[in-house]
Amino acid sequence: MEDIKKNQVSPFNEACRNILFEHPDAIGVAYRVLDCGCALLCGTSAGGDPTGTLQHISGQPVKKRTASPICLKCKKDNGLGRVVWDGIYWPGSQSEWPEKDLRISIGRKIFGPGYMEPE
Ligand SMILES: [Zn+2]
């Protein structure tokens, strides 16, 4: 789970890139990782507003062109009660990211006042 950002070919990264590509007004992608390995993703604007629809991806490697695979657990409960980790994916290298203050204020708008960035 920890190396989700390092694995450049994961379904997670691919879904983030697709969201940013399809929604040019999105500057990052908010995500919630569930205990089953699935993740919920939604693009965010610079003002912390959602862009596009919430996407649900499986943490399992998938073959191209298959229907979006959602695990059985998520089919039953959508996973919202099983969030183990949330955060925001920023594209590019750290020097291209928005200022930390802006990142935190976007995160707090999406996830609430308790939002912190992992050090
Ligand atoms: Zn799941």
Side-chain angles (χ1 to χ4, degrees):
M1 203 79 80
E2 263 70 25
D3 51 38
I4 199 160
K5 284 180 196 155
K6 292 174 203 149
N7 183 356
Q8 292 301 309
V9 294
S10 70
F12 176 87
N13 276 274
E14 193 175 333
C16 287
R17 283 199 297 264
N18 287 341
I19 288 170
L20 293 164
F21 180 76
E22 286 164 19
H23 301 284
D25 53 331
I27 65 164
V29 179
Y31 60 83
R32 293 176 196 272
V33 178
L34 310 178
D35 67 352
C36 54
C38 294
L40 303 170
L41 304 174
C42 188
T44 176
S45 74
D49 296 310
T51 61
T53 54
L54 189 69
Q55 297 200 19
H56 191 136
I57 61 162
S58 164
Q60 307 303 315
V62 289
K63 290 178 185 158
K64 297 266 177 199
R65 310 254 170 238
T66 53
S68 169
I70 294 176
C71 74
L72 288 173
K73 262 184 163 176
C74 288
K75 277 185 178 158
K76 285 184 185 159
D77 69 2
N78 287 328
L80 284 172
R82 295 182 283 103
V83 177
V84 292
W85 184 30
D86 56 27
I88 303 175
Y89 169 92
W90 305 106
S93 64
Q94 197 156 352
S95 59
E96 299 171 74
W97 294 359
E99 295 293 321
K100 182 164 186 175
D101 286 351
L102 180 60
R103 300 201 306 267
I104 297 282
S105 80
I106 291 172
R108 290 189 174 162
K109 185 158 179 197
I110 297 169
F111 297 117
Y115 178 76
M116 304 275 281
E117 285 197 340
E119 291 302 327

